Amino acid sequence: MKKFFDTISNIWKIEELRNRIIITLTLLLVYRFGAQIALPGIDSQELGNLQSGTEQGIFGLLNAFTGGAFAKASVFALGIMPYISASIVVQLMGIAIPYLQKLQKEGESGRKTINQITRWLTIAICIVQAPAYLLGLGAFGVPDSAFVLGKGLDFMIPAVIILVTGTVFAMWLGEKITDKGIGNGISLLIMIGIIATMPQAFMQEVASRTGENTGGPMLILVEVILWFLVILASVLIVLATRQIPVQYARRTASGGYEKNITGSRQYIPLKLNASGVMPIIFAQALMFLPGMIGKYFNTSAIGSRFEVNFQDPFGLAYNLLFAFLIIIFTYFYTAITVPTNKMADDLKRSGGFVPGTRPGKETADFLDKIMSLITLPGSIFLALLAVLPAIVVQLLGIQGNWAMFYGGTSLLIMVGVAIDTVQQVNSYLLNRHYDGLMKSGKNRKVA
């Protein structure tokens, strides 16, 4: 405990880090405040059906990403998800469009242009999603009386403008946190939204367990211990890497005299889960289709079966298909985001080689083979983590809202962003000759 307080004290002593943390917390507070403000023209007291209809499934996930703003018809109801969608689209288009490939190779100037394209695409996506969200409120059971000004153009046009502006403002907050704060602004906005829904979900679970014959405090303790074990496993999969040894050839340096520099051995870290949470997001988006197909053909026996089985996020058929799609997308996304050919070329140009493997194509094939081998267990573990909420619901009878924190996108985002934030703070501490957050020992400050 003394070590913890010493570390906090060291963080506060570094003026730049202190200012960045204060800026980050302030901007996150602004985002959370905006998530509580309902759209003008909507009576927030009549949104009970909307909140109950967005507790589970894909809409529950969207509501968690927005910190409850989706279910409150807030000015931040669309959250930062349109920006995430635009980023994914631009990243995938970079594979097929030569112009984007050229921008990716132009360094900082190319990155700025890609960011600008992503921003404009975000606005375009918002213009489509905002009217769909407003028109879809009735499908969630929001009564017409909740629309104080009615559903005419005098309500729709200003509401669409506010929703688009809310997403653009959230995007701006995320970029400012990245530039002026402790980094990863967009990810922090998503994480803080997910964490905001956690206390309510846990209290609902506690309330359900305090009744008769429901397990009581002991089962709550078991659930919490299991949750911590799942978090530990998630940390392991996020940090797990396969280190490929790389040997650099002996070089000769001259500067008035010549000397031999002994070749040094380094490592290429290949991540076990190089695709992050993207396979889950892609698979979750496609899980709409079976239920929609079943709803469209619900007059037939097969259609009605599809509608029943694939609209239950905790059902067997839904989760088997979900896990299969995650494994497929893990391989797909890893293949397009881990450029083994480029890694082999860069290694060859720098005079490095993998021992026992020829530079060039043979090295690229070797790296590709290793990635394929380590992606299999990574994809299976990712699929298990994604369907774990359904497993704990069926085996332990956990409430759906609380079960969502046992796996899936929510847990991986929280773990990944938390680890990255700790590493950011840790780098500031080590640069100022303090003990890092992930290093034990006494204070290493030098005069």
Side-chain angles (χ1 to χ4, degrees):
M1 185 61 69
K2 182 178 182 297
K3 164 67 177 174
F4 172 77
F5 287 111
D6 288 342
T7 303
I8 298 298
S9 175
N10 293 337
I11 292 174
W12 200 252
K13 290 176 183 177
I14 303 173
E15 182 178 0
E16 181 185 2
L17 180 57
R18 181 175 70 243
N19 293 338
R20 285 180 174 271
I21 292 177
I22 292 174
I23 291 173
T24 299
L25 294 177
T26 302
L27 295 180
L28 290 177
L29 184 62
V30 171
Y31 179 71
R32 289 302 305 147
F33 178 75
Q36 312 304 316
I37 302 175
L39 286 167
I42 293 182
D43 186 358
S44 59
Q45 301 298 322
E46 298 192 37
L47 297 177
N49 290 333
L50 175 61
Q51 295 178 2
S52 61
T54 55
E55 289 182 350
Q56 297 179 359
I58 183 64
F59 294 108
L61 188 63
L62 291 174
N63 190 46
F65 281 176
T66 60
F70 187 88
K72 295 176 182 176
S74 163
V75 295
F76 287 158
L78 300 182
I80 204 66
M81 293 311 295
Y83 178 81
I84 300 296
S85 301
S87 300
I88 294 172
V89 170
V90 171
Q91 190 174 22
L92 293 178
M93 284 173 29
I95 304 172
I97 299 179
Y99 175 68
L100 292 177
Q101 293 176 354
K102 180 182 176 182
L103 290 176
Q104 291 173 349
K105 298 177 182 178
E106 291 182 356
E108 184 65 21
S109 62
R111 187 182 64 83
K112 289 182 179 179
T113 304
I114 291 177
N115 287 342
Q116 194 65 24
I117 294 174
T118 305
R119 294 187 188 106
W120 284 110
L121 184 58
T122 299
I123 294 176
I125 292 175
C126 286
I127 292 175
V128 175
Q129 288 186 351
Y133 171 75
L134 294 172
L135 294 174
L137 290 177
F140 283 105
V142 178
D144 292 339
S145 58
F147 299 90
V148 180
L149 302 177
K151 296 183 179 180
L153 292 179
D154 54 342
F155 164 74
M156 291 294 294
I157 293 177
V160 168
I161 293 175
I162 291 173
L163 286 173
V164 174
T165 305
T167 296
V168 173
F169 182 65
M171 179 175 62
W172 180 83
L173 288 175
E175 292 179 351
K176 286 301 175 184
I177 291 175
T178 301
D179 295 337
K180 306 294 184 181
I182 56 177
N184 300 309
I186 301 298
S187 299
L188 280 173
L189 291 181
I190 297 176
M191 187 186 75
I192 203 68
I194 295 172
I195 292 177
T197 62
M198 186 187 297
Q200 180 181 1
F202 181 69
M203 293 309 298
Q204 289 177 350
E205 177 66 17
V206 171
S208 69
R209 292 300 186 189
T210 53
E212 295 182 0
N213 300 323
T214 54
M218 183 57 66
L219 191 53
I220 294 175
L221 178 62
V222 172
E223 292 176 7
V224 172
I225 293 174
L226 177 61
W227 183 57
F228 278 110
L229 292 176
V230 174
I231 291 177
L232 178 61
S234 302
V235 172
L236 292 177
I237 191 175
V238 169
L239 296 180
T241 59
R242 166 71 184 274
Q243 292 186 332
I244 306 299
V246 175
Q247 187 77 32
Y248 286 91
R250 185 184 301 270
R251 303 171 185 174
T252 301
S254 61
Y257 64 94
E258 292 188 355
K259 63 178 181 179
N260 286 330
I261 300 177
T262 304
S264 60
R265 171 167 290 195
Q266 298 179 7
Y267 295 91
I268 299 177
L270 298 179
K271 298 187 69 173
L272 180 67
N273 180 30
S275 56
V277 299
M278 300 311 300
I280 297 181
I281 294 176
F282 285 162
Q284 191 79 67
L286 286 183
M287 290 307 295
F288 271 121
L289 296 179
M292 291 176 61
I293 294 173
K295 190 172 184 179
Y296 186 77
F297 296 101
N298 59 2
T299 54
S300 64
I302 296 178
S304 61
R305 186 175 300 175
F306 261 69
E307 183 180 10
V308 172
N309 292 335
F310 291 101
Q311 286 191 339
D312 179 14
F314 301 115
L316 177 62
Y318 181 98
N319 283 278
L320 287 177
L321 179 60
F322 190 30
F324 176 74
L325 289 176
I326 288 172
I327 294 175
I328 297 298
F329 279 122
T330 301
Y331 273 95
F332 169 75
Y333 201 77
T334 301
I336 66 176
T337 56
V338 182
T340 53
N341 290 328
K342 184 176 182 299
M343 292 167 63
D345 291 340
D346 292 342
L347 197 61
K348 184 177 180 180
R349 281 195 295 267
S350 61
F353 62 93
V354 176
T357 306
R358 293 179 180 178
K361 185 179 183 303
E362 189 172 327
T363 298
D365 293 341
F366 174 76
L367 294 177
D368 187 66
K369 178 182 177 181
I370 295 297
M371 281 303 306
S372 299
L373 292 174
I374 66 175
T375 298
L376 178 60
S379 63
I380 293 175
F381 186 90
L382 197 63
L384 289 175
L385 193 63
V387 302
L388 188 59
I391 296 175
V392 296
V393 165
Q394 298 297 331
L395 295 182
L396 300 178
I398 295 176
Q399 293 272 321
N401 287 346
W402 176 238
M404 296 303 294
F405 291 97
Y406 275 81
T409 315
S410 300
L411 184 64
L412 280 177
I413 287 177
M414 287 193 300
V415 170
V417 175
I419 290 175
D420 200 53
T421 302
V422 169
Q423 290 174 343
Q424 293 273 358
V425 176
N426 192 60
S427 65
Y428 276 97
L429 291 172
L430 295 179
N431 287 338
R432 299 306 191 280
H433 304 287
Y434 287 104
D435 280 333
L437 290 171
M438 297 177 289
K439 181 179 176 66
S440 61
K442 296 183 179 180
N443 188 296
R444 300 190 298 119
K445 185 176 179 180
V446 296

